[in-house]
Amino acid sequence: MTISALRDIACTIDTTPGTRGRGRPTQSRAAATRDAVVGAAAAHFTSVGYTAASVSDIVTDSRITKGAMYFHFSSKKAVAQYLVRVWCEVLVETITTATATAIGDDVVGGRSAHRQLVAVFRELAWYVENDPRVRAGLLLSFESDVDENARVYRAWTSAVTVIVEHAIPLRDPAITTITSVGLGESLCSAFVGAVQVASSLGEPESIGRRVEDLLTLWLDTAGSQSLD
């Protein structure tokens, strides 16, 4: 799977609005209501997890009625899938921008694949640190009830592996047994771990720093260049 797989997944994640309720609110009011639901849901999913989060709590914190929520989302799962789609779309945008030109040897679009790999994870760290919706979407993408078979994660690691194959010269005999697939997945899983730790500690502002430390350690271990 490559970036096209992520793009396909983003298009197929079901975010169909709910069908309960009557009437059609004005566009601006509807957008405000949807944003309130999504914001409250993102906070609850991140703090207590998907299973423990309840529609009642989301509605209370959104300061709307259940009917208003169901106008936009048919269920708690639908809200969660919307957030996963937000995360997936960020992945598509970030990786597409970094790999705008076909990879050739060690260069992609005039920039080394190594630098593009760093740029991808720095950009993802910025989004996850600063946008609670993106952070919640990332964490929810590992909930089997929300994203069956972790499709988003698998497509993400595959897309990153394509860059890794050109960014990491496996010249060190000590790491020649490590495949590019293993290196790509280890970087993605470590990124997820950094986000989970920061979220659990209530320190989302530390995500960028944690990812910088991760990149420094990971690229040094892989025998690659410095971050700059």
Side-chain angles (χ1 to χ4, degrees):
M1 289 188 290
T2 61
I3 190 63
S4 61
L6 277 171
R7 198 175 285 113
D8 291 343
I9 291 170
C11 292
T12 58
I13 292 176
D14 183 14
T15 57
T16 304
T19 56
R20 305 183 194 180
R22 298 178 181 178
R24 179 174 294 277
T26 62
Q27 186 174 1
S28 59
R29 183 159 60 90
T33 300
R34 184 196 62 230
D35 290 347
V37 172
V38 171
H44 276 286
F45 289 143
T46 300
S47 62
V48 303
Y50 175 74
T51 302
S54 69
V55 169
S56 295
D57 287 338
I58 293 172
V59 167
T60 298
D61 283 5
S62 302
R63 297 182 179 180
I64 62 171
T65 65
K66 279 191 177 182
M69 173 182 165
Y70 284 128
F71 178 85
H72 293 279
F73 301 101
S74 60
S75 63
K76 179 177 78 170
K77 179 178 179 179
V79 186
Q81 289 180 324
Y82 177 89
L83 289 165
V84 171
R85 180 168 182 167
V86 170
W87 161 241
C88 191
E89 290 174 345
V90 165
L91 285 174
V92 171
E93 178 185 351
T94 301
I95 298 175
T96 299
T97 299
T99 58
T101 305
I103 295 177
D105 295 329
D106 185 44
V107 179
V108 188
R111 184 198 300 183
S112 72
H114 157 268
R115 289 181 180 275
Q116 291 198 341
L117 186 66
V118 172
V120 165
F121 281 92
R122 279 179 172 167
E123 186 76 359
L124 291 178
W126 186 89
Y127 273 111
V128 174
E129 179 176 317
N130 292 283
D131 191 333
R133 301 173 310 151
V134 179
R135 185 161 62 251
L138 164 59
L139 299 175
L140 286 165
S141 68
F142 293 93
E143 294 283 352
S144 59
D145 288 341
V146 179
D147 184 17
E148 187 178 358
N149 298 321
R151 295 183 304 158
V152 174
Y153 177 73
R154 294 178 190 280
W156 174 29
T157 57
S158 294
V160 167
T161 295
V162 173
I163 307 176
V164 170
E165 290 174 344
H166 298 269
I168 307 300
L170 299 179
R171 301 190 184 102
D172 188 336
I175 61 172
T176 52
T177 58
I178 303 177
T179 66
S180 57
V181 174
L183 286 170
E185 185 164 4
S186 70
L187 183 52
C188 292
S189 60
F191 180 93
V192 173
V195 174
Q196 289 176 326
V197 169
S199 298
S200 296
L201 294 177
E203 301 175 354
E205 70 282 356
S206 71
I207 291 174
R209 172 184 60 78
R210 293 175 188 275
V211 172
E212 283 294 310
D213 292 343
L214 162 66
L215 288 170
T216 299
L217 176 63
W218 186 87
L219 290 171
D220 180 64
T221 300
S224 188
Q225 313 164 53
S226 64
L227 292 180
D228 298 323

